[in-house]
Amino acid sequence: MDLKLATISSVPSRGAAVQGTFPGRAHSAVDSARLVDYEPCMGSLRTEPSAPVLGFPTRRRFMLDVLIDEQDRLELLRAEARRGLTRRPKELPPKWFYDARGSALFDAITGLPEYYLTRRERAILRVRAAEIAAITGARTLVELGSGTSDKTRILIDALDAAGTLESFVPFDVCQPALEDAGAALLDEYPRLEVHAVVGDFDLHLGAIAHEGPTLVAFLGSTIGNFPAPARADLLGELRRMLGAGGFFLVGTDLVKDPARLDAAYNDSRGITAAFNRNVLRVLNRDLDADFAEERFEHVAAFDPELELVDIRLRSRVAQMVHVRALDLNVHFDAGEEMRTEISTKFQRAGLERELAAAGFEAAGWWTDRAGDFALSLWRVD
Ligand code: AVJ
């Protein structure tokens, strides 16, 4: 393996500092719990290439580009939280769900009986990966929001078997996840180069370097988190980044019986509710806020007009929340709702229109047998 991981604790005594500046509140128990829980996504690991081994090619198989570091991440969080908490209706962008705990909760969601999306997408990938590899002949595979690159292994296997794949470019805002996934992939695929990019896909898509025929994969229906205008921007950016000969593979959840959609986002075990409320913990920890989770109720319902599941946190009481890092007091009315996520549900014709408007033509459309989920492939026009 060409990669050595060194653990560097870059979050020293943050909890202690917080304790000292809130004399009025009984903090010590809460803060020590928070410290244990203190696992922001970024900044706790650093990669160091090991010394070249004599007699072996010294080409490095792992590269890591950091386009957004912990300071940038906090700055972005502050800006987006200030904007979202001071506008009406209030809202918070869904990307802030995914600290270590939020990612673990999302993992748990993917195994829930009501949450069919991940299973359906994996089933489609298993059946179609070889076909996708043959159509694209990709030399570079870019994955947006890759996390652990779990489902992507199916694609990597197929492209590897087809003999075209040279490099995998996982793109994510979470550096430790990229380093862990990168290390595992180097072991599993001895010929593969991994060029991980730490970035935010609102900002850094254009900076992804890629060589030869390139396939960008955006799985999991994460594209559904973007409102339509932001989707148009994202697709335009992708089109520019890919250039002639490029391919885009996207996973999209499809419009279906509202009862099933409501169930998928209101699971009986309350994992989705905990995932939704986790964003409040992130604000408490990273912005020294004092949200009380139990004062907010998880609300999720399919909106048949907009064809999206609208996910919110509803204040159970009239309350004031203090966000210390923003020097901001936020008032919530009893019953006031703050949007934390949209999960857009798609139809084939609509998706085709959006992709065509961005300069892509259809190269493949595959669904599971029940027609719950679609995986579709698009070629730069
Ligand atoms: C990861 C954005 C695709 O929209 O279904 C799951 C996130 N939110 N349950 C989705 C999510 C609540 C998920 N995505």
Side-chain angles (χ1 to χ4, degrees):
M1 215 180 69
D2 299 343
L3 171 75
K4 202 163 59 192
L5 293 176
T7 305
I8 296 166
S9 173
S10 65
V11 231
S13 51
R14 194 187 158 91
V18 171
Q19 231 170 315
T21 51
F22 280 88
R25 286 168 56 197
H27 242 308
S28 49
V30 178
D31 275 342
S32 48
R34 272 191 208 159
L35 248 188
V36 173
D37 212 18
Y38 194 90
E39 256 191 277
C41 192
M42 304 279 304
S44 58
L45 291 165
R46 177 183 296 170
T47 56
E48 292 167 3
S50 60
V53 180
L54 272 178
F56 288 89
T58 55
R59 191 173 59 132
R60 278 205 283 154
R61 285 176 55 221
F62 186 82
M63 287 201 293
L64 181 78
D65 275 354
V66 181
L67 305 178
I68 175 172
D69 66 13
E70 175 66 2
Q71 289 314 310
D72 302 330
R73 191 190 72 95
L74 284 173
E75 205 172 296
L76 196 63
L77 174 61
R78 282 193 293 269
E80 294 190 351
R82 183 184 296 283
R83 178 182 170 277
L85 292 171
T86 54
R87 74 190 287 284
R88 269 186 170 274
K90 296 182 178 66
E91 66 178 24
L92 292 169
K95 66 178 137 190
W96 304 109
F97 287 136
Y98 301 93
D99 67 342
R101 182 172 179 271
S103 301
L105 284 167
F106 179 67
D107 256 9
I109 288 173
T110 64
L112 291 170
E114 298 98 328
Y115 196 79
Y116 54 85
L117 289 77
T118 315
R119 286 187 296 277
R120 295 290 188 264
E121 184 175 53
R122 185 175 286 118
I124 303 167
L125 268 171
R126 282 212 188 97
V127 177
R128 303 296 179 177
E131 204 171 335
I132 293 163
I135 297 171
T136 63
R139 208 171 119 191
T140 302
L141 172 64
V142 178
E143 184 182 19
L144 305 181
S146 55
T148 60
S149 303
D150 176 32
K151 279 172 294 186
T152 319
R153 279 179 171 69
I154 304 170
L155 268 181
I156 296 177
D157 281 340
L159 287 163
D160 192 51
T164 62
L165 188 65
E166 288 173 13
S167 87
F168 176 54
V169 182
F171 180 95
D172 202 285
V173 76
C174 179
Q175 185 170 338
L178 286 174
E179 287 171 341
D180 292 351
L185 289 167
L186 290 183
D187 274 350
E188 289 167 46
Y189 302 91
R191 291 189 302 274
L192 191 66
E193 276 179 41
V194 177
H195 183 166
V197 182
V198 186
D200 178 306
F201 36 58
D202 289 338
L203 304 169
H204 302 118
L205 281 189
I208 302 175
H210 57 97
E211 264 175 77
T214 298
L215 168 62
V216 172
F218 197 16
L219 302 178
S221 205
T222 301
I223 195 170
N225 272 176
F226 292 75
R231 281 203 303 276
D233 289 349
L234 172 89
L235 294 174
E237 271 297 305
L238 273 178
R239 161 72 186 75
R240 264 189 297 286
M241 177 228 141
L242 276 168
F247 284 91
F248 177 48
L249 181 72
V250 63
T252 46
D253 195 20
L254 300 176
V255 170
K256 58 180 59 62
D257 175 9
R260 286 188 56 216
L261 290 168
D262 286 349
Y265 292 86
N266 291 283
D267 66 275
S268 57
R269 292 172 55 198
I271 310 282
T272 309
F275 171 76
N276 191 9
R277 284 193 285 257
N278 187 60
V279 73
L280 302 179
R281 292 201 189 202
V282 170
L283 297 193
N284 285 352
R285 186 192 61 213
D286 289 348
L287 300 183
D288 293 344
D290 61 1
F291 284 95
E293 271 189 83
E294 66 283 359
R295 291 189 185 160
F296 290 86
E297 185 186 354
H298 166 73
V299 182
F302 181 60
D303 179 334
E305 286 298 309
L306 300 175
E307 299 191 326
L308 54 82
V309 177
D310 204 334
I311 299 164
R312 299 166 183 220
L313 288 169
R314 179 189 291 152
S315 181
R316 296 184 199 269
V317 292
Q319 56 178 320
M320 188 73 89
V321 175
H322 185 51
V323 188
R324 200 168 184 288
L326 300 179
D327 196 18
L328 184 70
N329 285 311
V330 185
H331 180 265
F332 287 84
D333 295 330
E336 183 178 344
E337 292 181 358
M338 170 167 69
R339 176 183 272 168
T340 50
E341 182 176 38
I342 59 167
S343 188
T344 310
K345 305 305 161 188
F346 295 87
Q347 302 198 58
R348 184 175 183 170
L351 198 62
E352 249 157 27
R353 269 195 300 277
E354 289 188 30
L355 270 293
F360 289 90
E361 64 176 41
W365 174 271
W366 303 285
T367 70
D368 56 293
R369 211 171 299 142
D372 284 340
F373 197 96
L375 191 65
S376 55
L377 183 66
W378 309 86
R379 181 188 286 114
V380 171
D381 202 353

